[in-house]
Amino acid sequence: MAISPLAGKPAPRDMLVDLSRLEREYYAHTPDPDNAAERVSFGTSGHRGSSLRGSFTEAHILAITQAICDYRRGQGIDGPLHMGKDTHALSRPAERTALEVLAANDVTTIVQRDDGVTPTPVISHAILVENRGRHTGLADGIVVTPSHNPPRRDRARGSGDRRPITRTVIRC
């Protein structure tokens, strides 16, 4: 693999993302249900989108998190939900949105203190440790984390097993 000519240099202005606009669009845009590109749509490992294209917005996180709450209730999952996040620009707004839905559904949620970041492996480990030897009060989790895609392409991914949801990853 060749070394990029940009290696070690500041990124060109046209490659930078306007973080204020990214967050503004996350909250402001209402997805059009008649536009397939703006619907919550799970494909290969998850929902992909961008707040700049109206496909990763607060409405999407509200819907995904409410679906998780409905699933938990339907499956009798009543243990704590471990929630983590990474450092991507929309991780905090998406985490905040998800926490509001979880609180409204009376889901006990464990988060990193002081608004800290907690990557997926840490949440997965916490769930496995909490559930070890248990058959009731099972824990699950949500992680808001950057996609492995360029910053203009966001992603929300859910995964799980048939016991409780092992974790749901909301990729942004």
Side-chain angles (χ1 to χ4, degrees), residues 3-84:
I3 295 177
S4 169
L6 298 175
K9 298 178 184 171
R13 199 165 223 5
D14 66 331
M15 288 183 71
L16 299 178
V17 174
D18 179 345
L19 299 181
S20 295
R21 181 172 170 239
L22 192 72
E23 187 170 340
R24 203 169 41 250
E25 291 297 322
Y26 170 81
Y27 287 110
H29 185 79
T30 301
D32 177 0
D34 293 328
N35 180 347
E38 293 189 11
R39 294 182 201 145
V40 171
S41 174
F42 286 87
T44 306
S45 293
H47 170 72
R48 297 173 185 257
S50 169
S51 63
L52 300 178
R53 291 191 306 274
S55 54
F56 190 91
T57 66
E58 184 176 44
H60 293 100
I61 302 304
L62 289 167
I64 291 166
T65 309
Q66 185 59 53
I68 291 167
C69 291
D70 294 346
Y71 178 83
R72 284 174 54 95
R73 194 170 12 268
Q75 297 297 309
I77 300 169
D78 58 359
L81 184 140
H82 294 266
M83 185 165 201

Side-chain angles (χ1 to χ4, degrees), residues 144-159:
V144 181
T145 185
S147 172
H148 297 289
N149 296 307
R152 296 182 201 283
R153 186 163 186 190
D154 307 322
R155 180 176 184 186
R157 185 179 86 185
S159 61

Side-chain angles (χ1 to χ4, degrees), residues 90-164:
L90 289 180
S91 292
R92 180 63 182 125
E95 177 195 45
R96 189 178 309 118
T97 299
L99 285 170
E100 290 172 1
V101 175
L102 294 166
N105 282 274
D106 202 29
V107 174
T108 299
T109 306
I110 300 167
V111 297
Q112 175 73 12
R113 84 174 125 216
D114 301 323
D115 198 29
V117 298
T118 313
T120 303
V122 173
I123 296 299
S124 295
H125 183 263
I127 294 166
L128 292 171
V129 168
E130 181 124 11
N131 288 343
R132 188 177 295 141
R134 298 180 72 144
H135 299 288
T136 61
L138 295 170
D140 61 354
I142 295 174
V143 180
V144 181
T145 185
S147 172
H148 297 289
N149 296 307
R152 296 182 201 283
R153 186 163 186 190
D154 307 322
R155 180 176 184 186
R157 185 179 86 185
S159 61
D161 61 26
R162 293 212 167 118
R163 283 184 48 210

